Structure formats: structure tokens, C-alpha cells
Amino acid sequence: MTRYNAPFEIHVHGDVPLREDVAYSQIQDALKPLWQYAGARSLAAAAESAYEDEPGIRFDAEAHVLQMCWTVPGDEDFRQVIEEACMGLNDIAAAGAPLEVSFYDTEFDEEDESSEEEARDDFMMCFVGPTPAAIMQAQRDLLVEDVVHVMERHFDASELGSVVAAIDRLFTERFDALVSSMQLGKPPRGHGGSSGHGGGRKPRHLH
């Protein structure tokens, strides 16, 4: 179903390492929620992005990596769709990986100075991986990268060891709690939370 007058342009961005035994048919099945949302009958038919300068959805067979830089028109219901796609990717991923999902308000006019309305842009991070531990590792690595990037404006990288150690301790405690609560036998969830609404507009390209 093509979505004319969709309130958002939704951009999905990230690279997911896949197991070496994964076939294209398995990737197509895992991403079925996405290509069906785009109104296509197959992954190949939906792989092209809404923007020509974006690679879209590609599988690097040599590196066994699923590469996504893909925009599709849609609505808030896409949140459930990406959740389902992440669950499918969990089954074929070789390691944990983050996926950035950006919602751009198509009705907001940046050049309309008389308007007092803020853009309804939003952003969420999703994480996929073969196990809860792999997903947590991806979450930890991204958090360390973000925190170090911010703090390096004020401190030398050599001074930040205690900060990284504190982040590691928090994730170790979370993982230990997960193990003790016997949650490891359940399928890992792919969704990693989302940020708040509004704020300054982000550039469409995340890379």
C-alpha cells in the first residue's frame, strides 16, 4: 500500500552482521514487515529507498552484512513494524548491532517563519543480536562511544577509563539481573527505546 500524504518520512540506518549460513530467502523473510509496509511483494521490490542518493537495503554477501540506508513514507505504526523486523533479524544476526530510526515530519515547513509549531520529528534506537548478551554488548558499545565523544571535549581520552568502567559495571549488573530472573530462555526483544519528540531538526542523512 503506497502511502500518499504520509505524515512522516522514516529513515532506517545501520549495518547488521549476519551468520555465514544465512541465505537471501531468510533475509527476505526477516524483513517481511518492512517490505510489506512499503507496499511491495518482495524485498527486492522494496529495497530501493525513496531517495535516489541512498543505497536502500543491500546484502553484502562477501562480508555477510545487511546494510540499510532506507527511507519510506509512513506513520507512527511503523514503530511496531520495525519491532517485528528486529525480532526477525535476531534469528539471523551474527552479532549485536544498532539500528537508527528517524521520523521526519513531512508537514513541517522550516521556512515558514510565522508558524509557531515545532516539527514532530522523532528518533529511536533499536538493537538486534543473536542473544540478549550480544544486544547488550551493542548497547554498551554505542553508549561508550557517545559518552566518550561528549566528554573528550573537556577531558583527555586517557582520563576516561573510570567512566567506561562505570558503564561496564552498570551493564554487568543488568546482565546478571537478566540471568537471575531466568529471562534468557525467552526470545530477545529488538527494540532499544526511543528519544523524546521535537527539538531541532536532524539532517536526513545519518552517515
Side-chain angles (χ1 to χ4, degrees):
M1 172 174 65
T2 303
R3 288 169 168 75
Y4 298 103
N5 302 317
F8 295 102
E9 285 182 343
I10 304 166
H11 183 73
V12 182
H13 192 94
D15 294 340
V16 181
L18 304 180
R19 298 194 321 266
E20 292 190 5
D21 63 326
V22 170
Y24 183 83
S25 60
Q26 292 172 278
I27 301 172
Q28 175 165 263
D29 188 54
L31 296 182
K32 187 174 182 178
L34 296 187
W35 53 263
Q36 284 191 331
Y37 191 83
R41 295 186 177 182
S42 68
L43 175 57
E48 187 175 322
S49 178
Y51 289 92
E52 292 182 359
D53 57 343
E54 295 176 351
I57 301 175
R58 292 182 175 181
F59 173 51
D60 185 334
E62 186 174 340
H64 294 283
V65 173
L66 176 67
Q67 301 169 332
M68 303 181 71
C69 180
W70 181 72
T71 297
V72 65
D75 206 334
E76 291 284 353
D77 58 351
F78 187 80
R79 297 176 185 275
Q80 179 61 36
V81 171
I82 192 66
E83 175 85 13
E84 293 171 2
C86 285
M87 295 293 284
L89 288 174
N90 286 342
D91 293 333
I92 60 175
L99 290 176
E100 301 171 331
V101 184
S102 303
F103 294 77
Y104 297 100
D105 187 349
T106 59
E107 299 173 1
F108 180 76
D109 186 358
E110 263 183 313
E111 298 181 358
D112 185 3
E113 296 180 1
S114 63
S115 175
E116 296 182 358
E117 294 184 7
E118 288 189 353
R120 294 172 300 164
D121 294 1
D122 203 0
F123 176 80
M124 61 188 286
M125 289 298 303
C126 300
F127 294 87
V128 300
T131 64
I135 290 174
M136 281 191 183
Q137 184 66 46
Q139 292 173 327
R140 175 265 178 203
D141 291 347
L142 185 64
L143 179 58
V144 167
E145 181 181 327
D146 288 346
V147 169
V148 168
H149 176 71
V150 171
M151 295 193 70
E152 277 185 337
R153 300 172 190 170
H154 310 280
F155 300 92
D156 188 86
S158 62
E159 299 177 85
L160 301 178
S162 60
V163 176
V164 174
I167 293 173
D168 284 339
R169 185 168 62 252
L170 288 171
F171 274 98
T172 297
E173 291 172 357
R174 175 177 289 186
F175 184 72
D176 289 345
L178 187 66
V179 172
S180 63
S181 65
M182 302 301 290
Q183 291 292 316
L184 288 181
K186 297 182 179 180
R189 294 179 62 79
H191 179 249
S194 61
S195 67
H197 293 267
R201 302 208 87 187
K202 293 180 56 181
R204 179 165 59 85
H205 287 288
L206 300 175
H207 53 108

